[in-house]
Amino acid sequence: QTIKKTLMNQAKQVNNKINFIKHNNKNLEDNFFKHLQGQHQHLNSFLAKELITYLSKTKVVKLKEKKIIKSIQNTSWPGRFQKISQNPTVIYDVAHNLKGIEAFIETFKKLQYNHNNKILICGFEYNKKVKKITKQLGLLFDEIICTETRVRKSMPAKKLKNLFQHNNLII
């Protein structure tokens, strides 16, 4: 509520208005998020749809709602919970910050990958604060492979391995 008041006051000062929208998945078709996984991607898609719909209604852009929905349905985001193999299931995600890793974990839990032998291959930049998330990652996977990219500020795999408390770690 405080944030909403702050935004409203700021808009008033510059003689503008803010339209707030309520997210409601019930308004969306079952296959709306055909290629996008995770609540974070659903929220971003919903916001994009609402914004483009608003811009169309106010004649800033000319797009029909069916075209907007079809475009979002065909949207994919390579590197974001991207399934690159079916058998075995291999998911690729470049979660490049703490929020991205948290979103990956939530999506992974929600999709309930109950296979035996779930393996995480991970590498991080040295400046990423990942220590507090390694416990959660460790609980999801049977084996963790720590690696490094050897570009930019890659965290050494040995240092990454030390951040995990897991029985099955490989460098």
Side-chain angles (χ1 to χ4, degrees), residues 17-33:
K17 71 176 194 169
I18 297 176
N19 292 318
F20 293 93
I21 59 172
K22 291 186 181 191
H23 180 252
N24 184 355
N25 268 343
K26 293 175 185 167
N27 295 342
L28 303 175
E29 299 172 26
D30 288 340
N31 65 348
F32 187 75
F33 303 113

Side-chain angles (χ1 to χ4, degrees), residues 110-122:
K110 182 181 172 195
L111 295 176
Q112 298 178 351
Y113 287 99
N114 294 324
H115 311 111
N116 290 338
N117 205 24
K118 293 182 291 283
I119 302 169
L120 172 69
I121 301 172
C122 62

Side-chain angles (χ1 to χ4, degrees), residues 55-67:
L55 292 174
S56 292
K57 286 179 182 174
T58 58
K59 311 262 190 276
V60 174
V61 296
K62 283 187 175 184
L63 283 174
K64 295 186 178 182
E65 185 147 355
K66 283 184 179 182
K67 178 78 171 167

